[in-house]
Amino acid sequence: MSGRRAPPIRVVCLGSGYVAAYLSYGLRRQIRRGVVDLTVVGRDNFHTFHGFIPEMLVGRIQPGQIITPMRRMVDPARFHNAEIQSIDLSRHEVLTTRLLDGREYPIHYDHLVLALGSRDDPSRYPGPAEHALLLRSYWDALKTRNHIIDML
């Protein structure tokens, strides 16, 4: 027995929502021991807690109080703030473009978790696209809050 450690299992999670948070929480012991190397790739560098959006809309709390930095949410995993360009399943590689400077970064993985979420489509029914205010993202909530203030 040589005493050499096996290289860590590389796990990449595409998407930075609750799946990424629970994945990093569930793997935190293995990450700290060096058994797993988890990288979370997400477009937003913050997480919006939707439970506080009503309080933010009525002014009980400030808009900055409904968001948490993604690096804190997925600690001890790494967070990569980027757009996903392509996934090469045969080479086990995800090509990303970092949002900070536009540089391309390939990320190699042993296991890939797809947690990209969903999108709202208000155009499916007549009326919502023209008249409804979305509350899906932080920016939607901030736009709605500003609209309420303007109406007052």
Side-chain angles (χ1 to χ4, degrees), residues 25-130:
Y25 179 76
L27 293 175
R28 73 184 182 286
R29 287 186 182 128
Q30 290 88 346
I31 295 169
R32 288 184 178 136
R33 288 193 343 242
V35 175
V36 173
D37 178 20
L38 174 61
T39 302
V40 175
V41 179
R43 182 181 306 138
D44 293 327
N45 65 355
F46 56 88
H47 174 78
T48 304
F49 181 67
H50 290 88
F52 286 149
I53 286 178
E55 284 82 0
M56 188 269 287
L57 290 177
V58 298
R60 291 191 71 191
I61 62 174
Q62 294 298 312
Q65 292 177 292
I66 68 168
I67 57 175
T68 302
M70 274 312 299
R71 283 174 174 73
R72 189 180 309 159
M73 284 284 292
V74 299
D75 186 52
R78 278 191 302 242
F79 178 70
H80 183 63
N81 190 209
E83 289 277 345
I84 301 159
Q85 298 304 316
S86 64
I87 302 171
D88 189 337
L89 296 175
S90 62
R91 294 179 56 203
H92 288 240
E93 180 180 276
V94 176
L95 183 63
T96 65
T97 302
R98 193 166 72 171
L99 292 176
L100 177 67
D101 57 8
R103 285 184 55 196
E104 287 189 347
Y105 283 91
I107 302 173
H108 298 278
Y109 64 87
D110 297 314
H111 298 281
L112 183 64
V113 178
L114 298 176
L116 298 171
S118 62
R119 293 224 179 249
D120 294 327
D121 184 10
S123 67
R124 292 177 62 184
Y125 304 101
E130 299 82 22

